[in-house]
Amino acid sequence: MTHIVAYLCVLGSFLNGFDQCTVPESEFQLEGDYLIGGLFDIHQVNSSFYHHRPEAIDCSSAPFILSSYRRFQLMRFSVEEINNSTKLLPNVSLGYEIFDHCTDSVNFPGPLNLIAVNGLIQPLEEPHKNLSKVIAVVGTYTSPQARAVAPLFMMNLIPMVSYGAASSIFSRRQIYPSFMRTVHASKDVIEVIFSILTEFNWKWVAFLYVDDSYGIDGLQLFLKKIKDTDICLAYNKALDHYSDYKAIFKQINAQNVNVIIVFAPEWTVEELMKSVKQINVTNKVWIAGDAWSLNKKIRDQIQGIKSIGTVLGVAEPNMTIPGFREFIYSFKAQTHCENAKQQKFCNQICHCSSLTAEEIIDADPSFSFPVYSAVYSIAHALHNILQCGAYGCKANIKVYPHMVLTELRKSNFTLLNQTVQFDENGEPMFGPYAIVFWDHDGSIHEVGYYNFHGSFDFSINILCLLSLNLTLFKNCVQVPTSVCSTECDVGYKKTQYGIHKCCFNCTICPNGTYNNITEDPYSCINCNNTQWSEEGSTSCSLRVVEYTPFTDIWAIGIMVGAFILVFISLALSVLFALNYNTPVVKSAGGPMCFLILGCLSLSSLSVFFYFGEPTVAFCILRYLPFLLFFTVCLACFVVRSFQIVCIFKIAAQIPKLHSWWMKYHGQWLFITVAFVTQAIFLLINYIYAPPSSKMDIYWNPQKIILGCDIDFKAALISLVLPLLFCFLCFVFSYMGKDLPKNYNEAKAITFCLLLLILTWIIFATGSILYQGKYMQPLQSLAVLSSLYSFLLWYFFPKCYIIIFQPQKNTHHYFQNLIQSYTKTISQ
């Protein structure tokens, strides 16, 4: 190999005598007072590179990267511009040593040369005896390259200002203390991509990434960003030299993914797009990362962007750097002879003399300002260290790399209307991102922006997209969709199937529930007890609270009926008092008639508490008067039935029972015991389980029915006596079914009891079929009907005889009936 190189050098010298071409100074080196290192991947070695023995990589034989060469020339231009300026570093010149860093794994001679002094690496024990010949390094471009060489510069805190390495790992200052960058980290690119997805409501996406630290970091950042959002990653795949693109897109199409995010460098995307054309992938939305969104070579490679679909990209704004065009034209105007003399160190040759100035200028402009600002940041740091002023810089100051690092972190200057500053982690605090669109003719349009600092604005100009008549819109009105499942209609909940939350079925929310997309689209939320909702609702409505007020027509009618009952009871009491000594009044019970009428009147008090808003007091008084006094009333009828049977049947057969009953006033004793017993039962009931107001929320979903809640198990104790007395009345009434006509109280009592039972059967049936607000009037009507059944059918026949048939209300008439009945019995 050495003989071949020597031969070429001799041959070049020989030919030089015949060709009057000038050999310019090396593009890779420039002498100066202070040296800046540069690492640019002008060539890109394939990741599958394999070598059999230790050797320096011949980068010039690898594929040429025009965009990187443009950035390489931009660094040269930046240094030359600073040297030609009399303001930034007057009387001080900057030099550079740039290396073609074409691979991240086996290309270490360049970085080692930058930190070496006279071919030797300084020991850590002697940090100030020998100094690195460079004060800072610009580079590298990719994250894997930066991770490989950064530790070499971190040892002595040599500032490494990257213009393209975007992985999150470099934000960790404890690992990379002297690493800084002028490009936004991957998290910022992911933030912009996420905003684009959100803007167009794309929720079902694929993520293709290069299989290295940059791509894996991008995938992790994207997964973290979409966590707890409605965006789902349907498919992701790492790309390398061996990727099976046919299988990849078969899977993407099988999952109906229409939006594909490509997070990879340009050389990986070139292979990808070549396969896209071969496989004939169409009608997709491609979202490009900043590494290839402005790449002209890829646009020319596609040749008919319309066929593959729509390309949106994230890119730094295409800023024009004044003087760069003239620099390139001036540089290319020189007569170029690529000569071995240029190669003072390995890999400092590019074989690119055939490039025209236009080709270099029109190459992918991505990361131009990061390179420009990186060089100027170092220059401004040196300006501050050397205390430069209008009359020059101080020459007696020893410059160490760590001093440059300190000043770099303090950077605060204006460059092309951008304020260049860094945060505590060395991240840039300047530079927005542009949203670009690839038109059908290959041109690029800026259709939006994302500003990270200050107002944090994001905007996409939809009107601009429409005016371009882009394939992004179908008929200029409809954005292409990319979803696993279409959104549910309002009032429907999502029921996820599979592992992705974007894949779901829609289920309508039933009555009494609602679905709120902002709160939880995956569940139907129950309305509370005071609210209701129809099927498929998105909110609950307040229920109508219903009860029967005193002003209700039914309430007024029933209360009037109660007043009439009291009036009739009072009138009957007066009538019976005036005819107290007549046989009809005595046969009806005599003084017991007044007790019965009084109990009926007091029982009617319950009717008035069935109306108005139910309270605990109303619920107690709704049942207490009726159960207490109606029980006394029934006790009176039991006594009356027993007395009738006793007079005609038991007295003759059991004379002692009759004499005891008469002697100790058994009827009053029985009634008193019944009253006291029922009062005790009611007291026990109301102490342990008193009635309370309740809200019926189940009968009608739109209404709340106010009523009283009764513990029926506890209430059974207060119903024992009324039920027992009804049974005894029937027994004694049946025994007296054949008594004389004028002694037909037993038949009257039986009929009253039948009416009573019929009334409560009707009420029980109604309460089963209906539970609305008129349930309370229905119950009060049953109470009033029970009272009227005894008032009308027991007392009115007596009144009729007293008023209209006085001839039957005589002692002689009653004695004849008794004698006739006695003769019948004796026969």
Side-chain angles (χ1 to χ4, degrees):
M1 176 64 76
T2 305
H3 297 291
I4 296 175
V5 172
Y7 175 79
L8 291 175
C9 291
V10 172
L11 179 62
S13 300
F14 178 79
L15 294 175
N16 188 45
F18 296 93
D19 186 8
Q20 299 299 318
C21 64
T22 61
V23 179
E25 293 296 327
S26 172
E27 299 176 54
F28 292 86
Q29 295 170 325
L30 179 68
E31 299 294 331
D33 298 326
Y34 298 95
L35 284 180
I36 301 176
L39 296 173
F40 292 82
D41 49 353
I42 300 174
H43 298 84
Q44 177 61 36
V45 174
N46 190 283
S47 59
S48 62
F49 171 80
Y50 180 77
H51 57 98
H52 299 278
R53 59 184 178 83
E55 61 178 331
I57 303 302
D58 181 12
C59 291
S60 61
S61 62
F64 177 71
I65 309 298
L66 180 58
S67 58
S68 290
Y69 183 71
R70 185 183 191 276
R71 289 186 282 269
F72 161 78
Q73 293 294 347
L74 190 58
M75 177 175 173
R76 296 183 60 244
F77 162 74
S78 303
V79 173
E80 182 176 305
E81 187 178 55
I82 293 170
N83 288 337
N84 292 334
S85 172
T86 59
K87 294 181 179 180
L88 187 57
L89 293 173
N91 302 324
V92 173
S93 64
L94 287 180
Y96 55 75
E97 261 192 47
I98 306 175
F99 292 92
D100 184 1
H101 197 72
C102 57
T103 177
D104 60 333
S105 57
V106 290
N107 195 16
F108 285 90
L112 290 173
N113 185 59
L114 291 177
I115 65 174
V117 177
N118 298 323
L120 299 175
I121 306 298
Q122 67 177 33
L124 291 176
E125 291 78 7
E126 302 176 3
H128 299 296
K129 181 176 291 187
N130 296 312
L131 298 176
S132 169
K133 61 183 176 181
V134 298
I135 60 172
V137 176
V138 176
T140 62
Y141 173 55
T142 69
S143 295
Q145 292 170 351
R147 292 192 69 174
V149 303
L152 300 176
F153 301 108
M154 302 299 109
M155 291 189 301
N156 292 327
L157 297 181
I158 299 174
M160 182 178 179
V161 187
S162 175
Y163 55 87
S167 292
S168 302
I169 187 67
F170 301 116
S171 300
R172 300 174 65 177
R173 189 169 173 179
Q174 65 273 28
I175 299 178
Y176 299 98
S178 63
F179 185 92
M180 302 181 74
R181 51 185 164 194
T182 52
V183 65
H184 284 286
S186 294
K187 66 179 180 63
D188 294 336
V189 179
I190 294 298
E191 180 71 31
V192 182
I193 292 174
F194 175 79
S195 299
I196 294 173
L197 297 178
T198 304
E199 179 73 16
F200 292 107
N201 201 30
W202 290 324
K203 300 179 180 180
W204 190 238
V205 299
F207 194 96
L208 304 181
Y209 59 98
V210 63
D211 191 13
D212 59 23
S213 58
Y214 167 71
I216 295 171
D217 180 63
L219 174 65
Q220 292 173 346
L221 290 169
F222 183 72
L223 289 172
K224 182 178 179 181
K225 185 64 183 179
I226 65 174
K227 184 181 180 181
D228 300 326
T229 70
D230 55 357
I231 296 175
C232 296
L233 182 58
Y235 179 79
N236 70 87
K237 184 66 176 178
L239 305 179
D240 55 28
H241 184 68
Y242 304 102
S243 294
D244 185 352
Y245 291 105
K246 186 174 182 179
I248 290 173
F249 286 102
K250 182 179 180 180
Q251 185 69 21
I252 289 176
N253 290 328
Q255 294 188 250
N256 195 29
V257 180
N258 294 326
V259 175
I260 304 172
I261 302 166
V262 182
F263 205 78
E266 56 190 86
W267 44 87
T268 302
V269 179
E270 288 176 12
E271 293 294 324
L272 170 67
M273 289 303 173
K274 184 187 299 182
S275 298
V276 166
K277 288 193 67 178
Q278 292 174 353
I279 302 170
N280 194 27
V281 179
T282 59
N283 298 325
K284 301 294 183 184
V285 176
W286 303 83
I287 299 182
D290 57 346
W292 65 279
S293 57
L294 299 179
N295 193 280
K296 187 175 185 297
K297 184 177 180 181
I298 297 175
R299 299 199 311 272
D300 294 340
Q301 174 189 0
I302 296 175
Q303 293 180 350
I305 295 171
K306 185 177 181 180
S307 62
I308 71 166
T310 300
V311 179
L312 286 172
V314 179
E316 294 184 3
N318 189 5
M319 301 176 61
T320 300
I321 298 178
F324 179 62
R325 175 182 289 271
E326 292 76 10
F327 170 80
I328 296 298
Y329 274 107
S330 174
F331 168 69
K332 297 303 293 184
Q334 302 175 25
T335 304
H336 263 269
C337 297
E338 298 230 27
N339 196 287
K341 290 182 180 179
Q342 290 181 309
Q343 190 169 351
K344 296 181 180 179
F345 193 77
C346 60
N347 287 330
Q348 295 189 81
I349 190 169
C350 67
H351 296 305
C352 46
S353 59
S354 61
L355 290 174
T356 64
E358 289 79 6
E359 288 177 316
I360 299 173
I361 294 170
D362 293 339
D364 184 354
S366 299
F367 308 101
S368 295
F369 187 75
V371 173
Y372 192 58
S373 59
V375 176
Y376 265 88
S377 296
I378 297 170
H380 275 273
L382 190 60
H383 171 92
N384 294 334
I385 295 171
L386 298 177
Q387 301 175 18
C388 299
Y391 300 102
C393 303
K394 293 183 179 181
N396 58 347
I397 298 177
K398 194 72 172 178
V399 179
Y400 297 98
H402 70 85
M403 298 168 62
V404 178
L405 176 63
T406 301
E407 293 300 325
L408 271 172
R409 291 171 177 164
K410 300 177 183 177
S411 295
N412 189 358
F413 62 92
T414 301
L415 184 66
L416 300 184
N417 297 323
Q418 293 279 339
T419 301
V420 178
Q421 291 178 304
F422 300 92
D423 64 15
E424 64 276 6
N425 295 320
E427 305 286 340
M429 298 174 62
F430 57 90
Y433 263 124
I435 314 299
V436 298
F437 175 82
W438 290 15
D439 205 348
H440 301 163
D441 59 3
S443 60
I444 294 179
H445 304 273
E446 288 191 12
V447 294
Y449 67 91
Y450 193 106
N451 186 24
F452 295 98
H453 308 284
S455 58
F456 294 93
D457 293 331
F458 169 72
S459 174
I460 292 182
N461 193 336
I462 303 298
L463 293 177
C464 178
L465 290 171
L466 288 171
S467 65
L468 293 172
N469 192 23
L470 308 177
T471 57
L472 181 64
F473 296 86
K474 183 179 180 181
N475 300 325
C476 294
V477 293
Q478 183 180 354
V479 178
T481 60
S482 184
V483 295
C484 179
S485 301
T486 57
E487 283 298 315
C488 297
D489 295 334
V490 293
Y492 285 74
K493 74 171 182 177
K494 298 176 180 178
T495 304
Q496 180 179 328
Y497 64 85
I499 62 173
H500 295 291
K501 59 180 176 293
C502 295
C503 302
F504 50 82
N505 295 318
C506 297
T507 307
I508 192 168
C509 288
N511 293 333
T513 65
Y514 70 97
N515 176 260
N516 189 326
I517 296 177
T518 58
E519 290 183 14
D520 185 5
Y522 293 92
S523 64
C524 295
I525 305 171
N526 291 323
C527 299
N528 60 40
N529 291 341
T530 61
Q531 297 176 326
W532 72 281
S533 67
E534 293 181 347
E535 187 179 62
S537 297
T538 58
S539 62
C540 294
S541 303
L542 287 175
R543 292 190 179 194
V544 178
V545 179
E546 286 193 346
Y547 58 89
T548 306
F550 286 101
T551 55
D552 187 85
I553 186 65
W554 288 99
I556 293 173
I558 292 171
M559 287 188 293
V560 169
F563 279 118
I564 293 173
L565 184 140
V566 174
F567 176 76
I568 293 175
S569 298
L570 182 59
L572 290 176
S573 298
V574 172
L575 179 62
F576 279 32
L578 294 177
N579 298 275
Y580 184 74
N581 293 318
T582 60
V584 171
V585 175
K586 289 182 179 181
S587 67
M592 198 177 293
C593 294
F594 300 102
L595 178 59
I596 295 172
L597 291 172
C599 288
L600 293 175
S601 298
L602 291 174
S603 296
S604 66
L605 291 175
S606 296
V607 171
F608 296 94
F609 297 101
Y610 281 93
F611 311 110
E613 184 174 355
T615 62
V616 175
F618 268 46
C619 289
I620 291 175
L621 294 174
R622 183 177 291 186
Y623 302 106
L624 179 61
F626 178 72
L627 289 174
L628 181 60
F629 296 110
F630 195 68
T631 300
V632 175
C633 182
L634 289 174
C636 292
F637 285 111
V638 170
V639 169
R640 186 63 193 140
S641 301
F642 176 75
Q643 285 179 329
I644 294 171
V645 174
C646 184
I647 291 172
F648 288 97
K649 295 186 177 182
I650 299 177
Q653 299 176 6
I654 314 175
K656 290 183 179 182
L657 178 60
H658 180 262
S659 62
W660 182 89
W661 182 266
M662 297 301 295
K663 178 180 179 180
Y664 293 102
H665 303 285
Q667 69 274 22
W668 300 112
L669 182 61
F670 181 83
I671 293 171
T672 302
V673 171
F675 174 78
V676 173
T677 304
Q678 180 67 346
I680 293 173
F681 285 170
L682 288 171
L683 183 62
I684 294 173
N685 181 15
Y686 288 165
I687 287 175
Y688 290 100
S692 60
S693 59
K694 72 167 184 178
M695 296 188 299
D696 186 350
I697 61 175
Y698 302 106
W699 178 256
N700 191 321
Q702 302 179 17
K703 298 177 181 179
I704 297 176
I705 310 299
L706 298 184
C708 293
D709 188 24
I710 302 173
D711 187 342
F712 287 100
K713 292 183 180 179
L716 287 176
I717 191 173
S718 59
L719 296 176
V720 170
L721 286 181
L723 294 174
L724 177 62
F725 291 162
C726 287
F727 175 74
L728 292 175
C729 282
F730 269 113
V731 171
F732 294 137
S733 298
Y734 181 78
M735 292 172 64
K737 66 181 185 298
D738 56 348
L739 293 178
K741 185 178 180 181
N742 272 27
Y743 285 88
N744 60 358
E745 283 82 359
K747 297 178 180 178
I749 293 171
T750 303
F751 186 71
C752 293
L753 289 172
L754 289 174
L755 290 178
L756 176 67
I757 294 172
L758 181 62
T759 297
W760 288 102
I761 289 175
I762 294 173
F763 168 73
T765 305
S767 64
I768 294 173
L769 300 176
Y770 175 74
Q771 290 290 334
K773 73 173 184 176
Y774 288 107
M775 195 65 230
Q776 314 306 321
L778 182 61
Q779 189 171 359
S780 65
L781 184 61
V783 170
L784 195 60
S785 298
S786 302
L787 301 179
Y788 267 107
S789 64
F790 286 97
L791 181 67
L792 297 180
W793 302 107
Y794 184 77
F795 288 101
F796 270 36
K798 284 36 173 205
C799 296
Y800 180 80
I801 294 173
I802 293 172
I803 298 173
F804 299 105
Q805 295 179 344
Q807 70 278 7
K808 295 181 180 180
N809 190 15
T810 61
H811 293 285
H812 179 72
Y813 181 78
F814 273 78
Q815 288 176 353
N816 290 335
L817 290 174
I818 293 172
Q819 291 174 0
S820 176
Y821 176 77
T822 303
K823 290 179 180 180
T824 304
I825 293 299
S826 63
Q827 292 177 356

